[in-house]
Amino acid sequence: MLRELIVKSLMQQTAGFDLIIEPGKTTRSFLLELIRYRELFFFLAWKDILVRYKQTVIGIAWSVIKPLLSMIIFTIVFGRIAKLPSGGVPYPVLVFSALLPWQYFSNAMQASAESLIRVEAMISKVYFPRLILPTSAVLVSMVDFVISFVLLCLLMLVYRFMPSARILLLPVFFVPATLAALGVGYWFSAIGVKYRDFRHIMPFIIQFGMYVSPVGFSSSIIPDRWRLIYSVNPIVGVIDGFRWCIQGSDLYVTGFVLSIIVSLLVFFYGLRFFRRTERSFADFI
């Protein structure tokens, strides 16, 4: 049923003109193609949202349970047992301020990386810009982000913690998280088409990334001589930015700028790698 709807949508968009596929043409005009296939883009995103929240046992509750359990574990381990400093902020708020961007980044990266394998039959039979698949998959993670943000607001009410007006600047730090997730997702999705077992590595990469990111603790505990190197991880600057907006903590500007640069490099390298390898997707699928 889904395949028939997609094929029908593609036929409607290409009706009335000849579609000529030439080597290199889509590489130069892929942005125009994305605009032309915007209906397919939103259709795929809406389909993923319905599958995520409608065809599951607990539905939206899973978007609440997962970060909530992670917050409880990190609060107990780092706040109660290790007794790491929180800068005067309730430790659950400190942790959840970092879980908010991390969950979005990891979910978006994983959804983007697995997007091509889920619709492999469509790739081998119908032409459309392949970039639509990993890009549209990120929109589902944005819905999770909104749900988790509401939970953070409730958490701040429970602890009577009032954020400053900086919270309005959260979208500024949301952008580099999206670029980094897309860049890694483009790269992993392209590799996963040829090497199917590569997707089994994703959970280990995400788990490792959580432990090397300042999710359960503040990045201020990192020694100054290592902090710039630590900021090579693009999500470090994003997490620090979220905490700066929500908690009013100090922002390590140099590290944040480095994280932004790395996010841009990851995005453009992932995009270039995807565009260079997409013409061989149908052969491997």
Side-chain angles (χ1 to χ4, degrees):
M1 182 64 181
L2 175 61
R3 189 187 309 171
E4 293 176 357
L5 291 173
I6 293 174
V7 172
K8 183 178 179 181
S9 175
L10 290 171
M11 292 178 64
Q12 291 176 350
Q13 294 180 47
T14 57
F17 59 88
D18 295 329
L19 179 62
I20 302 174
I21 305 175
E22 300 176 356
K25 182 177 179 180
T26 56
T27 303
R28 293 192 300 267
S29 59
F30 74 94
L31 285 177
L32 295 177
E33 282 192 323
L34 289 179
I35 295 175
R36 199 178 83 193
Y37 287 87
R38 60 187 179 276
E39 294 181 3
L40 177 62
F41 175 85
F42 289 111
F43 176 81
L44 290 173
W46 179 245
K47 182 265 299 181
D48 289 339
I49 292 174
L50 290 179
V51 171
R52 178 70 175 270
Y53 296 111
K54 188 176 181 180
Q55 299 180 6
T56 55
V57 177
I58 56 178
I60 296 179
W62 178 245
S63 300
V64 176
I65 295 173
K66 186 177 179 181
L68 192 60
L69 290 177
S70 299
M71 180 204 69
I72 294 174
I73 294 173
F74 280 124
T75 299
I76 294 175
V77 173
F78 293 104
R80 298 295 178 84
I81 299 177
K83 297 186 182 301
L84 295 181
S86 64
V89 179
Y91 214 91
V93 176
L94 174 78
V95 172
F96 211 93
S97 299
L99 279 173
L100 194 64
W102 169 255
Q103 293 278 8
Y104 167 70
F105 170 78
S106 60
N107 291 340
M109 179 180 63
Q110 186 169 12
S112 181
E114 298 176 352
S115 59
L116 298 180
I117 303 300
R118 293 200 303 262
V119 291
E120 55 185 2
M122 186 175 69
I123 293 177
S124 61
K125 296 180 179 180
V126 184
Y127 171 76
F128 62 95
R130 310 309 191 205
L131 197 65
I132 286 179
L133 293 172
T135 306
S136 63
V138 175
L139 293 184
V140 184
S141 302
M142 292 183 181
V143 178
D144 286 343
F145 178 86
V146 173
I147 297 173
S148 298
F149 183 76
V150 173
L151 183 59
L152 174 63
C153 293
L154 294 176
L155 190 66
M156 289 189 291
L157 286 176
V158 170
Y159 284 93
R160 298 180 180 179
F161 180 82
M162 180 63 65
S164 65
R166 295 177 183 175
I167 197 171
L168 299 176
L169 298 176
L170 276 181
V172 175
F173 303 94
F174 186 81
V175 173
T178 303
L179 293 178
L182 282 174
V184 177
Y186 290 155
W187 192 70
F188 284 168
S189 62
I191 292 179
V193 170
K194 185 176 181 180
Y195 305 102
R196 298 303 179 87
D197 56 346
F198 189 79
R199 59 180 175 175
H200 300 300
I201 305 176
M202 285 295 300
F204 298 99
I205 296 176
I206 292 175
Q207 186 177 18
F208 176 77
M210 174 179 284
Y211 290 126
V212 299
S213 301
V215 178
F217 54 90
S218 174
S219 61
S220 60
I221 69 173
I222 304 297
D224 292 338
R225 65 180 181 275
W226 298 110
R227 199 165 182 185
L228 185 61
I229 298 176
Y230 187 61
S231 298
V232 172
N233 179 358
I235 201 63
V236 170
V238 175
I239 290 177
D240 287 346
F242 267 68
R243 283 177 171 156
W244 177 78
C245 292
I246 296 172
Q247 304 168 196
S249 57
D250 295 334
L251 179 64
Y252 181 47
V253 179
T254 305
F256 173 70
V257 172
L258 178 60
S259 295
I260 294 295
I261 294 174
V262 173
S263 297
L264 291 172
L265 291 176
V266 168
F267 174 75
F268 285 113
Y269 174 76
L271 178 61
R272 182 181 177 183
F273 181 80
F274 187 95
R275 298 297 297 176
R276 190 171 65 247
T277 57
E278 69 171 332
R279 62 185 63 186
S280 62
F281 288 168
D283 298 332
F284 292 105
I285 287 181

